[in-house]
Amino acid sequence: MTPSLHLWLIPALPLLGAAINGFFGRRFSRQTVVAVALAFCGGAFLMALYVAARFSSLELPHTEFLAHWFRSGNFLVNFEFYLDQLTLVMLLVVTGVGFLIHIYSVGYMWEEGGFYRFFAYLNLFMFFMLTLVLAGNYLQMFIGWEGVGLASYLLIGFWFTKDSAASAGKKAFIVNRIGDFGFLIALFLLIKHFGSLNFQQVFSAVSPLGVETAGFGLLTSIALLLMVGAAGKSAQIPLYVWLPDAMEGPTPVSALIHAATMVTAGVYMVARSHLIFDRAPNALTVVAIIGTLTALFAATIGITQTDIKKVLAYSTISQLGYMFMACGVAAYSAGIFHLMTHAFFKGLLFLAAGSVIHAVGGEQDMRQMGGLKQYIPMTFATMSVATFAIAGIWPFAGFFSKDEILARAYQANPVYWFIGVTTAFITSFYMFRLWYMTFFGDYRGREVADQAHALAHSHGGHRDPHESPMVMLVPLMILAVLSFIGGWVGIGGRFEHFLAPVFGEGATVATEALSHSTEITLIAISLMAAGLGWYLAYLLYLKRPDLPQKIASILGGFYDTVLHKYYIDELYAALFVKPLVDGSTRILWHGVDQGVIDAAVNDTADGARHVSDAARQMQSGNLRSYAGWVAAGGALVIAYMIWMGVR
């Protein structure tokens, strides 16, 4: 019998940290809050490393029962934990990158109010994300799924006195509920047709079923509903609109939720459910199309953004599209490989962007930056590594995972590959655009810096941009190393081989191995696309910085459309938000407020008035009328007494 690894400790430790800081953190010093948050998050990371060290000796998949959750007839749900190769990758990514972000947050949030509350929310998020990853059944996954939505709402709206932050938190919560509705319906279908939500039982029941090559059968319906949930959580078309607004939260939140963990939950869920998707090729096609279009669509928006965090936000949406494109062509290992490398370089990009923002006194507009490499050399060096990685430059991590996706896309459908390469070119362009605008040329934020200096002079503030403290730089250095070498684990197909026991059976997209010459050609085209994007950014934003404005003027309305993100937010507001808000207002005002609450009060008053009017007629002041009423009353009393006597 395989010994217990006490997997329950991995999510339980961050939960305990969240409870301690949440309930008692107000009384703690900042040092104590930090000690609690880092100790329990770091403990979860150490437990994940312990599991990794014992992994080769386990009989997989390894499950650990914790408790019976509930039973209804023959339907039983246990609270249990599930460990296989896919779980291990996710565990190490979530706890490792999450712990580095916790460390970085100490320096970034040190002067902020609500310090204890922030770290309580961070730990709470880690608990729910680890619950999702370790879940042994879909219901337990759904609890973690909903929990990370709640935690993201709290973290995005952390500065709740700021209207834009509060609105962004609500937007993220509501849009995710739309996707979650699809996920929930999929769970109902699983219960109805398979009588279980346990992964092993569901997959055992699905395995003998045939591939639904025509129409939309049961498995196709379930897969599409699961994809609706994934599109919401992982910000895919049409439910991507919450993620750019989520940049209103503190920068460590952007790194944790929108780069390394939460937004990858949808990719993980699709990969975990691959046996269902493998038998639903129409659903896989939908996944591939949505991912491919999202990758291109978001990348084009990233070209025009000037807020450094917004550029990275649309970059995240685009890179998630790559992952879904991989899953859509049944290249699940490639999708998870890119998920891992993306956690390294995108986490680093967000944290380095936070270091830049910290250096220039809170400014996020790249047009007010420039020339920063001489002021913040360590931030520049680490962010450069991440930029090369996401652009797909060899031998950085992003090259290997992106190249694997493009190769598998080419095998499945050259159209996917062409759009993917085009997206790679655009990605390289807007990331080097960010690089040049931020770090090269002359510093354009002198006036802003002078104002910040005047404001902070009495507090010992910095006039010129300044490097971040070591507590923020050390996580950048570690992530920079991972962004450089993290892709090497995929050389020779080692990463795919590691995940083969999870994804090895049942793919509907039959592919033949590419010839060596074809592989070399595809790699060369990918590198040329990255190089061309780099050169174009160099030309427009370093060599000829006057050209971008001229090009924008020539493009006119098209440029404005892209600048305004294709007016999708305005379209959603006109089609959904305004009618729903106005309709809800109408129902609440006319139906509930006027029809129920006001009616109850007004009708009672009207009834009392009518009764008093009737009673008032009896008080006429006429003695003969009074005598008549007395006689009538007496007659009624006598008649009643006689009637009772007769009875």
Side-chain angles (χ1 to χ4, degrees):
M1 182 177 178
T2 304
S4 173
L5 297 175
H6 304 291
L7 293 175
W8 63 272
L9 279 172
I10 298 177
L13 287 170
L15 178 62
L16 185 57
I20 293 173
N21 273 334
F23 288 117
F24 309 109
R26 186 186 296 271
R27 305 186 188 95
F28 292 165
S29 66
R30 291 179 183 258
Q31 290 82 357
T32 304
V33 169
V34 167
V36 170
L38 294 187
F40 287 102
C41 182
F45 177 51
L46 291 176
M47 279 296 301
L49 292 176
Y50 168 72
V51 170
R54 297 281 305 278
F55 191 75
S56 61
S57 64
L58 298 175
E59 181 180 344
L60 299 173
H62 173 81
T63 59
E64 291 187 8
F65 169 82
L66 189 63
H68 290 300
W69 204 344
F70 65 85
R71 180 192 295 272
S72 178
N74 294 326
F75 178 65
L76 173 68
V77 178
N78 293 326
F79 203 91
E80 58 189 356
F81 299 101
Y82 185 89
L83 177 67
D84 64 2
Q85 290 82 354
L86 176 59
T87 309
L88 182 64
V89 171
M90 295 298 296
L91 272 183
L92 293 173
V93 168
V94 172
T95 58
V97 177
F99 182 55
L100 291 175
I101 293 171
H102 273 66
I103 296 174
Y104 176 94
S105 299
V106 175
Y108 193 88
M109 300 296 293
W110 189 260
E111 300 296 333
E112 298 291 338
F115 189 75
Y116 77 95
R117 184 165 50 87
F118 179 80
F119 279 97
Y121 293 165
L122 279 189
N123 277 186
L124 184 66
F125 175 87
M126 292 291 290
F127 160 70
F128 282 122
M129 189 66 199
L130 291 169
T131 298
L132 186 158
V133 167
L134 281 165
N137 56 72
Y138 279 106
L139 184 58
Q140 194 172 330
M141 176 187 276
F142 188 72
I143 297 300
W145 187 275
E146 291 295 296
V148 294
L150 169 65
S152 68
Y153 164 74
L154 295 173
L155 286 165
I156 294 167
F158 176 74
W159 289 312
F160 55 86
T161 57
K162 185 180 175 184
D163 287 342
S164 57
S167 297
K170 289 185 289 186
K171 185 175 184 179
F173 192 79
I174 292 169
V175 173
N176 271 274
R177 297 293 74 72
I178 297 171
D180 296 350
F181 180 73
F183 192 177
L184 196 58
I185 299 300
L187 300 193
F188 292 155
L189 288 176
L190 289 172
I191 295 170
K192 177 177 174 57
H193 292 279
F194 301 111
S196 176
L197 292 175
N198 179 273
F199 290 149
Q200 291 179 297
Q201 293 178 17
V202 169
F203 299 154
S204 296
V206 168
S207 294
L209 300 180
V211 176
E212 297 178 349
T213 55
F216 290 86
L218 171 65
L219 296 181
T220 303
S221 300
I222 292 173
L224 288 174
L225 288 167
L226 290 175
M227 181 56 196
V228 171
K233 196 67 69 183
S234 294
Q236 297 296 284
I237 291 173
L239 300 178
Y240 72 92
V241 291
W242 66 270
L243 194 146
D245 288 16
M247 297 302 107
E248 290 290 342
T251 299
V253 173
S254 303
L256 179 65
I257 297 179
H258 311 121
T261 53
M262 172 182 160
V263 293
T264 61
V267 180
Y268 168 73
M269 186 260 281
V270 171
R272 174 61 73 200
S273 308
H274 72 97
L275 282 172
I276 297 174
F277 282 88
D278 284 340
R279 286 152 182 79
N282 290 326
L284 273 182
T285 301
V286 171
V287 173
I289 291 173
I290 288 177
T292 305
L293 293 180
T294 301
L296 179 62
F297 177 79
T300 60
I301 297 177
I303 294 174
T304 61
Q305 300 301 301
T306 56
D307 184 311
I308 189 170
K309 288 177 65 177
K310 286 291 180 69
V311 174
L312 297 179
Y314 283 103
S315 171
T316 296
I317 299 171
S318 180
Q319 296 301 305
L320 289 165
Y322 262 109
M323 299 174 208
F324 277 103
M325 180 170 66
C327 291
V329 299
Y332 304 105
S333 295
I336 297 300
F337 187 22
H338 197 59
L339 183 156
M340 181 187 74
T341 61
H342 178 263
F344 300 152
F345 60 69
K346 186 54 67 62
L348 174 55
L349 283 169
F350 270 115
L351 295 186
S355 183
V356 169
I357 295 168
H358 178 270
V360 294
E363 180 60 63
Q364 294 183 199
D365 191 335
M366 296 185 297
R367 294 170 297 185
Q368 299 298 325
M369 299 178 186
L372 292 179
K373 65 177 182 177
Q374 62 178 314
Y375 298 104
I376 47 175
M378 187 59 67
T379 299
F380 166 69
T382 54
M383 197 167 191
S384 297
V385 172
T387 302
F388 286 112
I390 192 174
I393 305 296
W394 183 88
F396 295 85
F399 164 79
F400 296 96
S401 56
K402 191 176 293 186
D403 178 68
E404 182 68 22
I405 292 175
L406 291 175
R408 293 299 299 270
Y410 180 83
Q411 289 175 286
N413 189 327
V415 175
Y416 298 152
W417 170 83
F418 177 76
I419 297 176
V421 170
T422 303
T423 302
F425 158 70
I426 298 173
T427 300
S428 178
F429 171 71
Y430 69 65
M431 285 308 306
F432 281 108
R433 169 181 177 265
L434 179 152
W435 194 56
Y436 284 119
M437 289 183 71
T438 303
F439 295 107
F440 290 83
D442 297 324
Y443 180 48
R444 297 179 294 275
R446 181 63 58 195
E447 182 178 344
V448 175
D450 289 342
Q451 294 174 355
H453 173 69
L455 184 64
H457 180 70
S458 60
H459 303 288
H462 300 268
R463 178 175 186 136
D464 289 324
H466 55 285
E467 189 62 276
S468 299
M470 286 304 296
V471 72
M472 294 171 63
L473 292 178
V474 169
L476 299 187
M477 298 175 195
I478 296 172
L479 286 172
V481 173
L482 293 173
S483 297
F484 184 72
I485 68 173
W488 298 359
V489 298
I491 296 175
R494 286 179 295 179
F495 191 81
E496 185 175 6
H497 177 73
F498 177 73
L499 291 177
V502 181
F503 302 127
E505 55 177 291
T508 57
V509 182
T511 57
E512 297 180 1
L514 292 171
S515 66
H516 182 69
S517 60
T518 303
E519 285 187 355
I520 296 299
T521 301
L522 294 178
I523 291 173
I525 293 173
S526 175
L527 286 173
M528 284 191 293
L532 182 60
W534 184 359
Y535 174 74
L536 192 60
Y538 163 79
L539 180 65
L540 295 179
Y541 292 95
L542 186 64
K543 196 73 174 176
R544 293 288 306 277
D546 58 308
L547 283 180
Q549 188 59 46
K550 293 179 180 178
I551 295 173
S553 300
I554 294 171
L555 293 176
F558 177 73
Y559 177 83
D560 289 338
T561 300
V562 178
L563 179 63
H564 290 89
K565 299 161 283 190
Y566 297 98
Y567 297 101
I568 298 296
D569 281 308
E570 290 80 359
L571 179 64
Y572 282 9
L575 291 179
F576 303 112
V577 178
K578 193 174 188 301
L580 284 174
V581 170
D582 290 348
S584 300
T585 301
R586 194 178 301 112
I587 292 171
L588 288 172
W589 174 251
H590 295 289
V592 178
D593 194 46
Q594 290 187 338
V596 178
I597 300 173
D598 286 355
V601 176
N602 294 337
D603 289 351
T604 301
D606 289 342
R609 180 168 54 80
H610 292 315
V611 171
S612 63
D613 285 344
R616 187 180 59 188
Q617 300 303 318
M618 298 174 63
Q619 305 297 322
S620 63
N622 189 319
L623 293 177
R624 285 180 297 178
S625 175
Y626 293 163
W629 282 111
V630 170
L636 286 173
V637 171
I638 294 170
Y640 174 74
M641 293 175 67
I642 293 173
W643 181 65
M644 290 296 294
V646 171
R647 292 187 61 190

